[in-house]
């Protein structure tokens, strides 16, 4: 309940919630929050681990088959849903990453998982490239589908979910080489 209250408060307001706000939302006393978590950093870390587990469940390793457009759409829509749901926590975690090696480790894990998924989703196209070019394209795609990229398209430019997905699909499609005929 405490973790869910913390995440709900982050979704409502970009400011990191206080222990009192979390306690009130969860229906606990502040003391009860600190009985479960020694400090707010521990709560933030637990919320991050909870989010990673949820995102991992939501992003089951599927969708690697099918034609190029099916893979592009599936990958982008899954990533867009992840960004929509977890952007507030991502921002809170990044705002405090310098305070904790544990948080930095989790950020690296998320980025690494994103890169691995890109490599799997577009294996057919990437396999036709030399290693350096393949790495550059993977990193460019990772930058394109970053949480903040999603936030800019939705919040700053006012794109709908579908419009923002179309931007990502078009950008990734232009970056990737042609799909080999036997794929």
């Amino acid at each position: 309940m405490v973790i869910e209250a913390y995440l709900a408060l982050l979704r409502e307001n970009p400011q990191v919630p206080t222990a009192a706000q979390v306690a009130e939302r969860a229906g606990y006393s502040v003391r009860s929050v600190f009985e479960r978590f020694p400090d707010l950093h521990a709560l933030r870390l637990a919320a991050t681990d909870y989010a990673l587990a949820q995102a991992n469940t939501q992003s089951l390793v599927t969708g690697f088959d099918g034609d190029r457009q099916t893979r592009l759409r599936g990958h982008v829509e899954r990533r867009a849903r992840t960004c929509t749901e977890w952007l507030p926590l991502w921002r809170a975690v990044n705002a405090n990453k310098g305070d904790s090696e544990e948080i930095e480790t989790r950020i690296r894990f998320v980025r690494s998982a994103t890169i691995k998924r890109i490599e799997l989703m577009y294996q057919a196209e990437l396999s036709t490239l030399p290693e350096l070019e393949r790495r550059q394209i993977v990193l460019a795609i990772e930058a394109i589908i970053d949480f903040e990229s999603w936030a800019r398209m939705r919040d700053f430019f006012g794109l709908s979910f579908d419009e923002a997905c179309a931007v990502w699909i078009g950008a990734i499609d232009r970056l990737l080489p042609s799909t080999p005929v036997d794929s």
Side-chain angles (χ1 to χ4, degrees):
M1 294 287 289
V2 173
I3 291 171
E4 289 176 3
Y6 178 84
L7 292 170
L9 288 164
L10 277 176
R11 286 186 182 105
E12 293 168 11
N13 184 337
Q15 299 298 319
V16 176
T18 65
Q21 291 169 322
V22 172
E24 181 180 335
R25 176 59 66 92
Y28 291 118
S29 68
V30 173
R31 180 178 174 193
S32 293
V33 170
F34 287 118
E35 286 174 348
R36 289 160 177 80
F37 301 97
D39 54 32
L40 289 178
H41 171 71
L43 174 55
R44 183 173 51 245
L45 197 57
T48 302
D49 289 342
Y50 175 84
L52 288 172
Q54 293 293 314
N56 191 40
T57 299
Q58 293 165 353
S59 295
L60 295 174
V61 183
T62 61
F64 303 114
D65 53 354
D67 64 30
R68 180 182 178 121
Q69 289 306 310
T70 301
R71 287 181 290 120
L72 274 165
R73 178 156 302 287
H75 177 234
V76 164
E77 288 177 356
R78 183 174 291 116
R79 178 65 180 168
R81 285 189 299 275
T82 299
C83 287
T84 298
E85 184 169 356
W86 299 113
L87 177 64
L89 178 61
W90 181 255
R91 285 180 168 164
V93 165
N94 272 280
N96 297 291
K97 68 182 176 188
D99 298 342
S100 168
E101 180 59 35
E102 297 159 313
I103 294 289
E104 288 195 29
T105 297
R106 281 152 178 89
I107 291 170
R108 283 191 298 276
F109 173 81
V110 168
R111 292 200 185 281
S112 177
T114 301
I115 286 171
K116 282 183 174 69
R117 184 161 192 82
I118 292 166
E119 290 170 339
L120 286 170
M121 288 304 293
Y122 308 114
Q123 183 176 11
E125 293 81 9
L126 295 170
S127 69
T128 66
L129 300 172
E131 179 61 32
L132 177 60
E133 191 175 353
R134 180 174 42 244
R135 180 84 174 140
Q136 290 171 343
I137 288 175
V138 167
L139 295 179
I141 293 171
E142 193 274 339
I144 288 168
I145 63 170
D146 185 63
F147 283 95
E148 290 301 328
S149 167
W150 183 253
R152 276 190 306 280
M153 289 191 299
R154 301 279 284 139
D155 300 339
F156 185 75
F157 293 110
L159 299 181
S160 70
F161 183 92
D162 291 337
E163 290 169 330
C165 284
V167 169
W168 275 0
I169 289 168
I172 295 168
D173 195 31
R174 284 187 293 279
L175 274 173
L176 290 172
S178 297
T179 305
V181 176
D182 61 329
S183 292

